[in-house]
Amino acid sequence: MSARDDLSGVLLSEEQINKIVKDLGKRISEDYQDKNLFVICVLKGSFIFAADLMRSLTIPCRMDFLAASSYGSGSKSSGNVRIIKDVAASLEGLDVLIVEDILDSGNTLSRLKKLLSERHPASLRICTMLDKPARRETPLEADYVGTVVPDEFLVGYGLDYNEYYRELPMIGILKREIYSN
Ligand code: IMP
Ligand code: MG
């Protein structure tokens, strides 16, 4: 039994992901040429994307991890965001780039952006591998978007369902029967 058997289809192959990440890395390297780039990898979903993205950069850069929990009623993400694991360094004067796996409702990321902006970075932008605009509840646009995706539950390349499937090298659509029961 392989994790791939739980996919109804592959949305993005390894090759397609590689191209998307390389293009993003090129754009970011150009935009941050004379800046003080500091990448914040939002755990856990973006650990693989952030690792690949950083290796496609051609400029100096530093990074740290941040973990946030959002909670409200039930399992749905809400506007209440708490930082569980914070970045170690001060962000003052840095050109901060928040790296996310997927922008969905936008609730978590918009709160996170507000919290981090209070630390006086020189600039603060968002880079997301995937953007699912159909699910947006809080108006928020990422500055760098890998690709826009349809309203399906996606797994792989860091994205999980109940903590599984993160190891898949492609981004797949999870079979409905797996998450609807
Ligand atoms: P939101 O934008 O506050 O709703 O939270 C986005 C987070 O929800 C992401 O960082 C993912 O962890 C998770 N998420 C949203 N859509 C998916 C999906 O299709 N597959 C896996 N995780 C998802
Ligand atoms: Mg996540």
Side-chain angles (χ1 to χ4, degrees):
M1 187 68 189
S2 145
R4 292 181 197 210
D5 297 335
D6 293 346
L7 303 181
S8 65
V10 173
L11 186 73
L12 296 168
S13 68
E14 270 185 88
E15 291 70 26
Q16 287 171 311
I17 292 170
N18 283 343
K19 180 167 189 322
I20 289 168
V21 174
K22 282 219 172 69
D23 289 348
L24 284 174
K26 190 164 177 286
R27 276 181 61 200
I28 292 166
S29 298
E30 284 164 9
D31 293 354
Y32 286 82
Q33 201 125 52
D34 301 306
K35 307 266 187 185
N36 207 344
L37 177 58
F38 191 90
V39 166
I40 296 182
C41 170
V42 182
L43 294 171
K44 297 179 216 171
S46 57
F47 79 112
I48 292 178
F49 172 47
D52 283 346
L53 183 67
M54 279 191 57
R55 282 178 290 183
S56 75
L57 296 178
T58 55
I59 52 164
C61 132
R62 290 177 288 168
M63 70 87 64
D64 202 352
F65 299 100
L66 182 148
S69 85
S70 75
Y71 50 122
S73 50
S75 60
K76 240 175 144 268
S77 88
S78 73
N80 289 325
V81 169
R82 201 164 57 93
I83 294 178
I84 298 169
K85 187 242 167 274
D86 207 340
V87 297
S90 160
L91 300 179
E92 186 149 1
L94 301 181
D95 294 292
V96 174
L97 184 63
I98 303 172
V99 173
E100 254 289 21
D101 49 359
I102 184 164
L103 180 51
D104 190 58
S105 73
N107 294 339
T108 311
L109 214 45
S110 64
R111 284 288 298 147
L112 203 56
K113 195 175 177 189
K114 190 166 175 295
L115 282 173
L116 295 178
S117 71
E118 288 161 6
R119 299 180 187 184
H120 310 294
S123 67
L124 181 58
R125 289 182 178 175
I126 294 171
C127 173
T128 188
M129 172 72 193
L130 308 175
D131 186 5
K132 211 192 265 183
R135 300 248 312 167
R136 204 76 91 251
E137 291 171 9
T138 306
L140 180 70
E141 292 305 318
D143 302 276
Y144 301 93
V145 175
T147 188
V148 173
V149 295
D151 187 9
E152 300 276 4
F153 198 85
L154 306 172
V155 293
Y157 198 64
L159 288 160
D160 74 304
Y161 173 67
N162 281 349
E163 296 299 327
Y164 285 99
Y165 308 107
R166 295 193 197 274
E167 76 282 8
L168 288 174
M170 79 291 275
I171 293 171
I173 300 168
L174 191 65
K175 283 181 180 166
R176 277 184 199 275
E177 66 213 55
I178 290 176
Y179 62 90
S180 61
N181 55 37

